[in-house]
């Protein structure tokens, strides 16, 4: 039945007609949370991790945040991503968002917040059923949910969440690391000149950054899988041709008709297991 | 006795053969120098011999009567100009000049009579063809195919019946009286098939010309069918023509096909048909400049139908039906969907099946008839979405065995077995796809599942039904059915009862009630991705109705069928994001039986026939609600308060016909999205849903028009149709789409005006 939903959803692309007047994913024009990065995306129970959040609000509003944590209620199964009513809920931190300013288009990574992951007794016991998670679940990882809420001075809110994977696995996931992000073939760390024509964007990543890892099935057998790395692009004006690209693949950036005084380009590199790296270019 | 027969014979001939006959020849005298003149009389276009017709030859006013092969013979016709005259009810008068030769014998003549009309518009039959069940409505396939908006597909025409909800978009799924689409079972000659439409609605999977009728079973249907809470759409194949070789070929904008029908021996006949679509080629052309969307294998479908019918003896008939169908689609999406980055890369889907359905009917005597049939088949479903995939291969054997016993002229019983055994190989690697209130989470955010299993399911059913007449006015149909579903390990008894009361010659009341179960779907009861403790969902039906014929013995006038229905749904299977303890560990529940609901309403159909005008008005007023654990009651996704279909047709001269359909349907309910949360791991926003189905899109209004024309040649018929859907190009809202973060939404409108032109030649 699931395949039917998917299939008919795809067919509706043919059957339905809608004018695409909706906002573009890539354009930073309102308050956004772009990435949540923990220094170690997969840990053992009882560890501590540092969480950094990449936020943006080109409107330059004063903003506050709150961070809370709880055991994953089953978001991947359809549960609402909230810690409300969850017996493991913990308020971790609240404060002001401080790193945004006009010079960086109010788009920056905030200072790290340290989070302590609960013990194995808490992580590997379902708080609602009181029974333990299966050994396969413990090996593959159980998620500890970090929910970050950002509130602008006019009351507008944005919420985001990240799963810190808590597992018994020996070799744990690490964040991928991009070599560099290029604008028109030039590394953005040495700001290239903004040009009025379409130019390539590319995230350069060493191919060994895609890790192989093992997955345990319900019967205890192990299989090996390999991460797939994907880059998400954001800009403060103009338009990348694609919102996501594979690594080491060109995306085409087309500037707006009137060149802005400043352009911020953000590339977020994700593996498909919660590992993240971020590159920001300011032109 | 002889006198009675003579009078009867005279009356019979007078009604038909002697109607409008020219003044009889005072003396069908034999001219001394006359020549033999013989020939055959056929129906124009079909070349069907016309028996027992009077053929006159003028000016001698001789008369000959055709035999069963349409042959006629005049023993002596004077040489010179002559005139053939045939005047037969239901046909245009034939007045054909000819010449009788002076020397030698005349060559055989072939005369062709043209029918008065080749466009008959009598489509719906209520409880006449299928006397066993008053809850059955029957569409004659040959005529339903000509309904506007159906593109020549008679199965699609079921959507015009009262009680059938309109499916959104191009889908033709049959949604019966507030049930879900998955609660409708589809059968071919009584045997379940996985799909009845290519790509969910483009066209049915069996050639229209292979069909005799389509049965639509709604609330209160009888015990001979089960495993469907909503109802059943059953298509029945036609008996191939044993008289002569026939065939046809057609072509329209999306597909073409052909079939041949031939007698085999004196007692057998075979029909073989095939159809292939090319809609994908059209799409390919339309998208060839889109570098983000590469259609590597255009969507296409094809199907094959074979029907072999053989009269084994005066007591036994054999029929073999084979149906095969395949749908494929493949494309590459370079640009991911904005809020679902997993939706990118290679897409491939293939759905195919075949069924081999041997059938045997044996009349043991005047009072006992047995019907046996098997459905041997295999289904393939494959779906690939980048790294995700779903693959299902199923072997199935369906069995129907039934004995009909006529105890006396007031009591008939039916005993039967209706079973389905299936063995499947399933492998999948898919994200958990959560859909709440019709709003789906991005698949990028779902937990990935990997399964590779062999599974089997055995659904065994037995039934017993009686048809009893009590006095002159009452008939009752008590019956029962018992099913065993191996996937849920349940024995489920289902009593059913129907009654009819004839109030007078033109009016009758009817009622039916029963209990209906259907097995949980395989993935719902799976130990790997479902809930092994799930139970079969069930529904209780009740329906009442009145039938009134206002024609008072005439063929012109109105007939009305109307009545309320009620359905109560229990233990519906709904998705769950909770955890449960199973075998000592905490595992996802995936599904549970916490769904309940009800659907009720009143449906009416007013047919009118004032030749050459005819049509019907069908209207359903209904409400369908659901509830789940810890949730307030909400209207069902398929709740449509008002559903009105007005169909009208006029048969014009020269075999033209113009027909039209006007539809008004309350807008479909939708669930508002009140916010979203960004899933920073999967780069997608998860919607936060408001009250389920608490808003509606605008009403659906559409006008379809169809023009049919037939050209009748002596030995073949050419027909063409133009079917224009959404003539006014109204932008009906089918759904809404959202911005990546669900903060803005816009309407998704349905198909614009779509003209379809089709041409068909048949002999």
């Amino acid at each position: 039945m699931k395949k039917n939903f998917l299939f008919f959803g795809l067919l509706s692309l043919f059957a339905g007609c809608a004018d695409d007047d909706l906002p573009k994913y890539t354009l930073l024009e309102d308050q956004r949370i772009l990435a949540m990065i923990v220094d170690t995306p997969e840990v053992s129970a009882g560890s501590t991790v540092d969480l950094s959040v990449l936020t943006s609000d080109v409107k330059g509003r004063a903003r506050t945040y709150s961070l809370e944590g709880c055991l994953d209620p089953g978001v991947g199964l359809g549960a609402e991503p909230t810690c409300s009513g969850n017996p493991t809920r913990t308020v971790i931190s609240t404060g002001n968002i401080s790193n945004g300013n006009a010079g960086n288009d109010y788009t920056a990574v905030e200072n790290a917040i340290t989070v302590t992951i609960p013990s194995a007794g808490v992580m590997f016991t379902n708080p609602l059923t009181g029974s333990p998670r299966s050994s396969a679940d413990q090996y593959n990882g159980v998620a500890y949910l970090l929910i970050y809420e950002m509130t602008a001075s006019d009351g507008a809110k944005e919420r985001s969440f990240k799963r810190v994977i808590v597992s018994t696995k020996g070799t744990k996931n690490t964040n991928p690391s991009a070599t560099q992000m290029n604008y028109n073939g030039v590394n953005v760390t040495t700001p290239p000149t903004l040009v009025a024509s379409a130019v390539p964007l590319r995230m350069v990543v060493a191919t060994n950054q895609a890790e192989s890892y093992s997955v345990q099935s319900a019967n205890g057998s192990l299989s090996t899988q390999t991460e797939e790395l994907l880059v998400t692009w954001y800009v403060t004006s103009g338009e990348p041709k694609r919102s996501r690209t594979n690594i080491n693949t060109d995306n085409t950036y087309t500037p707006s008709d009137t060149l802005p005084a400043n352009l911020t380009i953000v590339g977020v590199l994700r593996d498909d297991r919660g590992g993240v790296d971020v590159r920001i270019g300011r032109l | 006795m002889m006198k009675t027969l003579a009078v009867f014979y005279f009356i019979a001939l007078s009604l038909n053969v002697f109607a409008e006959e020219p003044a009889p020849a005072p003396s069908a005298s034999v001219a001394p120098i006359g020549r033999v003149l013989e020939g055959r009389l056929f129906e124009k276009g079909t070349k069907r011999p016309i028996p027992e017709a009077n053929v006159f030859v003028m000016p001698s006013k001789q008369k000959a009567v055709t035999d069963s092969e349409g042959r006629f013979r005049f023993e002596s016709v004077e040489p010179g100009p002559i005139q053939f005259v045939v005047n037969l009810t239901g046909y245009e008068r034939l007045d054909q000049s000819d010449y009788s030769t002076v020397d030698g014998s005349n060559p055989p003549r072939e005369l062709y009579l043209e029918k008065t009309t080749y466009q008959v518009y009598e489509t719906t039959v209520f409880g006449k063809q299928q006397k066993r069940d008053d809850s059955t409505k029957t569409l004659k396939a040959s005529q339903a195919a000509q309904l506007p908006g159906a593109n020549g597909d008679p199965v699609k025409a079921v959507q015009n019946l009262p009680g059938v909800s309109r499916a959104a978009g191009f889908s033709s799924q049959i949604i019966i009286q507030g049930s879900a689409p998955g609660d409708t079972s589809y059968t071919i000659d009584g045997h379940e098939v996985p799909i009845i439409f290519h790509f969910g609605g483009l066209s049915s999977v069996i050639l229209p010309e292979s069909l005799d009728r389509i049965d639509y079973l709604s609330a209160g249907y009888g015990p001979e069918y089960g495993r469907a809470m909503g109802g059943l759409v059953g298509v029945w194949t036609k008996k191939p023509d044993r008289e002569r070789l026939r065939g046809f070929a057609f072509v329209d904008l999306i597909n073409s096909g052909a079939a041949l029908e031939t007698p085999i021996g004196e007692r057998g006949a075979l029909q073989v048909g095939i159809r292939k679509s090319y809609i994908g080629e059209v799409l390919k052309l339309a998208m060839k400049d889109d570098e983000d969307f590469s259609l590597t294998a255009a969507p296409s479908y094809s199907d094959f139908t074979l029907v072999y019918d053989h009269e084994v003896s005066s007591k036994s008939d054999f029929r073999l039906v084979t149906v095969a169908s395949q749908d494929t689609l493949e494309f590459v999406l370079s640009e991911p969907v904005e809020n679902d980055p997993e939706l990118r890369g290679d897409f491939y889907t293939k759905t195919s099946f075949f069924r081999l359905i041997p059938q045997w009917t044996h009349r043991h005597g005047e009072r006992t008839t047995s019907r046996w049939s098997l459905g041997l088949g295999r289904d393939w479903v494959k779906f690939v979405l980048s790294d995700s995939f779903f693959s299902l291969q199923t072997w199935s054997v369906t069995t129907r065995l039934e004995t009909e016993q006529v105890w006396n002229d007031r009591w008939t019983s039916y005993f039967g077995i209706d079973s389905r055994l299936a063995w499947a190989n399933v492998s999948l690697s898919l994200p958990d796809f959560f859909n709440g209130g019709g709003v789906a989470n991005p698949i990028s955010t779902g937990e990935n599942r990997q399964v590779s299993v062999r599974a089997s399911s055995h659904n065994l059913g037995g039934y017993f039904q009686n048809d009893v007449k009590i006095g002159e006015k009452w008939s009752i149909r008590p019956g029962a059915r018992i099913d065993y579903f191996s996937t849920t390990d349940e024995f489920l008894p289902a009593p059913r009862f129907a009654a009819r009361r004839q109030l007078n010659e033109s009016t009758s009341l009817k009622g039916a009630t029963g209990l209906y179960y259907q097995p949980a779907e395989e993935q719902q009861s799976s130990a790997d991705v479902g809930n092994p403790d799930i139970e079969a969902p069930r529904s209780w039906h009740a329906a009442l109705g009145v039938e009134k014929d206002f024609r008072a013995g005439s063929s012109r006038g109105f007939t009305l069928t109307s009545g309320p229905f009620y359905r109560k749904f229990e233990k519906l299977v709904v998705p769950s994001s909770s955890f449960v303890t199973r075998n000592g560990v905490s595992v996802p529940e995936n599904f549970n039986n916490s769904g309940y609901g009800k659907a009720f309403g009143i449906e009416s159909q007013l047919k009118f026939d004032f030749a050459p005008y005819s049509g019907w008005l069908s209207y359903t007023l209904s409400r369908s609600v659901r509830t789940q654990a810890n949730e307030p009651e909400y209207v069902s996704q398929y709740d449509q308060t008002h559903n009105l279909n007005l169909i009208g047709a006029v048969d014009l001269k020269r075999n033209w016909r113009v027909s039209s359909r006007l539809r008004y349907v309350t807008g479909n309910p939708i669930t508002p999205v009140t916010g979203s949360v960004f899933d920073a791991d999967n780069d997608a926003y998860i919607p936060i849903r408001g009250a389920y189905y608490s808003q509606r899109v605008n009403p659906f209004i559409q006008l379809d028009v169809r023009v049919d024309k037939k050209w009748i040649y002596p030995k073949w018929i050419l027909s063409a149709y133009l079917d224009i859907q959404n003539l006014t190009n109204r932008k009906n809202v089918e759904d809404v789409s959202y911005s990546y973060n669900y903060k803005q939404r816009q309407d998704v409108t349905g198909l614009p005006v779509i003209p379809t032109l089709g041409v068909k030649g048949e002999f």
Side-chain angles (χ1 to χ4, degrees), chain B residues 248-287:
Chain B
F248 76 87
F250 75 92
V251 56
D252 65 25
L253 292 182
I254 63 170
N255 61 185
S256 59
L260 271 179
E261 207 168 322
T262 178
I264 294 183
E266 290 188 351
R267 294 182 161 187
L270 174 74
Q271 189 200 53
V272 180
I274 191 164
R275 176 170 49 182
K276 179 94 173 71
S277 81
Y278 32 76
I279 185 172
E281 306 305 320
V282 179
L283 277 176
K284 256 185 172 177
L285 284 175
M287 296 177 173

Side-chain angles (χ1 to χ4, degrees), chain A residues 1 17 19 25 32 76-77 126 131-132 158-163 225 228 232 241-242 244 270, chain B residues 291-292 335 338 344 349 387 447 449-450 523 579 581 586 678-681 683 740 743 746 749:
Chain A
M1 212 54 203
C17 307
D19 301 324
Y25 193 84
R32 300 272 292 268
L77 304 170
N126 189 298
S131 51
E158 279 290 304
R159 276 204 301 157
S160 175
F161 70 90
K162 174 165 188 62
R163 305 166 183 88
Q225 297 183 6
E228 189 177 2
T232 307
K241 180 172 175 51
R242 294 187 172 132
R244 284 90 168 178
R270 288 183 173 88
Chain B
E291 61 186 76
D292 287 332
E335 166 80 340
E338 286 235 308
R344 70 181 193 282
T349 180
D387 294 332
E447 198 166 287
R449 304 291 185 90
Q450 294 185 344
Q523 77 273 16
F579 284 81
T581 301
S586 184
F678 181 57
D679 180 343
D681 296 319
D683 191 19
Y740 63 85
K743 288 186 176 175
Q746 64 182 13
T749 54

Side-chain angles (χ1 to χ4, degrees), chain B residues 318-391:
Chain B
F318 172 76
R319 182 179 291 194
L320 176 67
V321 174
T322 302
V323 177
S325 163
Q326 178 169 291
D327 297 5
T328 55
L329 169 66
E330 185 176 2
F331 60 87
V332 177
L333 196 58
S334 305
E335 166 80 340
V337 175
E338 286 235 308
N339 186 35
D340 210 343
E342 277 290 315
L343 280 177
R344 70 181 193 282
D346 297 331
F347 288 80
Y348 171 77
T349 180
K350 178 178 175 181
T351 304
S352 53
F353 77 90
F354 77 82
R355 286 292 181 278
L356 195 65
I357 308 173
Q359 305 166 49
W360 184 276
T361 301
H362 183 73
R363 293 168 287 279
H364 303 276
E366 287 188 357
R367 295 183 176 275
T368 309
T369 303
S370 293
R371 303 176 191 89
W372 300 292
S373 59
L374 286 175
L376 309 170
R378 193 170 184 193
D379 309 337
W380 294 265
V381 178
K382 189 168 186 181
F383 175 81
V384 177
L385 188 159
S386 196
D387 294 332
S388 302
F389 65 91
F390 174 88
S391 173

Side-chain angles (χ1 to χ4, degrees), chain A residues 238-254:
Chain A
E239 186 178 359
K241 180 172 175 51
R242 294 187 172 132
S243 57
R244 284 90 168 178
T245 58
N246 293 320
I247 58 172
N248 304 321
T249 303
D250 280 345
N251 195 2
T252 303
Y253 170 74
T254 304

Side-chain angles (χ1 to χ4, degrees), chain B residues 278-561:
Chain B
Y278 32 76
I279 185 172
E281 306 305 320
V282 179
L283 277 176
K284 256 185 172 177
L285 284 175
M287 296 177 173
K288 67 177 181 180
D289 295 328
D290 190 338
E291 61 186 76
D292 287 332
F293 185 91
S294 172
L295 208 54
T296 50
S300 73
Y301 61 81
S302 54
D303 53 58
F304 169 81
T305 308
L306 179 150
V307 182
Y308 173 67
D309 191 81
H310 185 78
E311 184 185 349
V312 178
S313 69
S314 60
K315 291 186 172 181
S316 297
D317 298 317
F318 172 76
R319 182 179 291 194
L320 176 67
V321 174
T322 302
V323 177
S325 163
Q326 178 169 291
D327 297 5
T328 55
L329 169 66
E330 185 176 2
F331 60 87
V332 177
L333 196 58
S334 305
E335 166 80 340
V337 175
E338 286 235 308
N339 186 35
D340 210 343
E342 277 290 315
L343 280 177
R344 70 181 193 282
D346 297 331
F347 288 80
Y348 171 77
T349 180
K350 178 178 175 181
T351 304
S352 53
F353 77 90
F354 77 82
R355 286 292 181 278
L356 195 65
I357 308 173
Q359 305 166 49
W360 184 276
T361 301
H362 183 73
R363 293 168 287 279
H364 303 276
E366 287 188 357
R367 295 183 176 275
T368 309
T369 303
S370 293
R371 303 176 191 89
W372 300 292
S373 59
L374 286 175
L376 309 170
R378 193 170 184 193
D379 309 337
W380 294 265
V381 178
K382 189 168 186 181
F383 175 81
V384 177
L385 188 159
S386 196
D387 294 332
S388 302
F389 65 91
F390 174 88
S391 173
L392 170 68
Q393 294 181 51
T394 308
W395 283 99
S396 64
V397 179
T398 49
T399 314
R400 294 194 69 85
L401 309 174
E402 183 184 79
T403 295
E404 175 183 342
Q405 177 66 46
V406 181
W407 303 108
N408 55 49
D409 61 355
R410 308 191 72 78
W411 178 21
T412 302
S413 297
Y414 303 88
F415 312 85
I417 293 172
D418 164 30
S419 301
R420 180 178 188 270
L421 314 179
W423 300 265
N425 289 331
V426 187
S427 57
L428 64 86
S429 175
L430 279 180
D432 194 87
F433 184 69
F434 182 81
N435 185 312
V439 180
N441 282 5
I443 65 164
S444 309
T445 65
E447 198 166 287
N448 205 52
R449 304 291 185 90
Q450 294 185 344
V451 172
S452 183
V453 293
R454 286 185 171 188
S456 63
S457 64
H458 308 306
N459 299 324
L460 312 174
Y463 62 89
F464 173 51
Q465 186 182 13
N466 292 280
D467 189 346
V468 182
K469 292 183 176 60
I470 302 172
E472 295 303 311
K473 295 183 175 177
W474 279 96
S475 64
I476 59 171
R477 295 186 177 93
R481 180 182 174 95
I482 184 162
D483 282 290
Y484 171 73
F485 300 153
S486 67
T487 49
T488 53
D489 194 22
E490 292 173 286
F491 281 97
L492 301 161
R496 300 185 188 175
F497 180 80
R500 170 181 281 264
R501 168 80 157 85
Q502 195 75 31
L503 294 181
N504 54 48
E505 280 191 354
S506 65
T507 311
S508 57
L509 297 175
K510 60 183 183 179
T513 185
L515 197 53
Y516 301 82
Y517 300 91
Q518 69 186 28
E521 294 174 11
E522 284 82 356
Q523 77 273 16
Q524 294 170 343
S525 57
S526 159
D528 298 296
V529 295
N531 180 350
D533 300 322
I534 211 81
E535 294 179 53
R538 56 209 61 188
S539 174
W540 172 69
H541 298 182
L544 295 172
V546 59
E547 291 178 8
K548 173 73 177 173
D549 190 339
F550 295 96
R551 294 176 296 183
S554 161
S555 61
R556 295 161 62 89
F558 292 96
T559 54
L560 172 71
T561 305

Side-chain angles (χ1 to χ4, degrees), chain B residues 76-121:
Chain B
S76 178
V77 177
E78 293 179 21
I82 58 172
Q83 193 88 2
F84 286 108
V85 176
V86 183
N87 202 359
L88 189 61
T89 304
Y91 292 88
E92 300 288 348
R93 175 189 169 97
L94 178 80
D95 228 328
Q96 184 173 311
S97 299
D98 207 322
Y99 194 87
S100 178
T101 57
V102 177
D103 302 319
S105 62
N106 285 299
R109 305 298 207 275
E110 287 190 351
L111 304 181
Y112 293 92
L113 267 191
E114 185 169 344
K115 285 175 74 175
T116 309
T117 176
Y118 288 75
Q119 316 272 22
V120 184
Y121 204 73

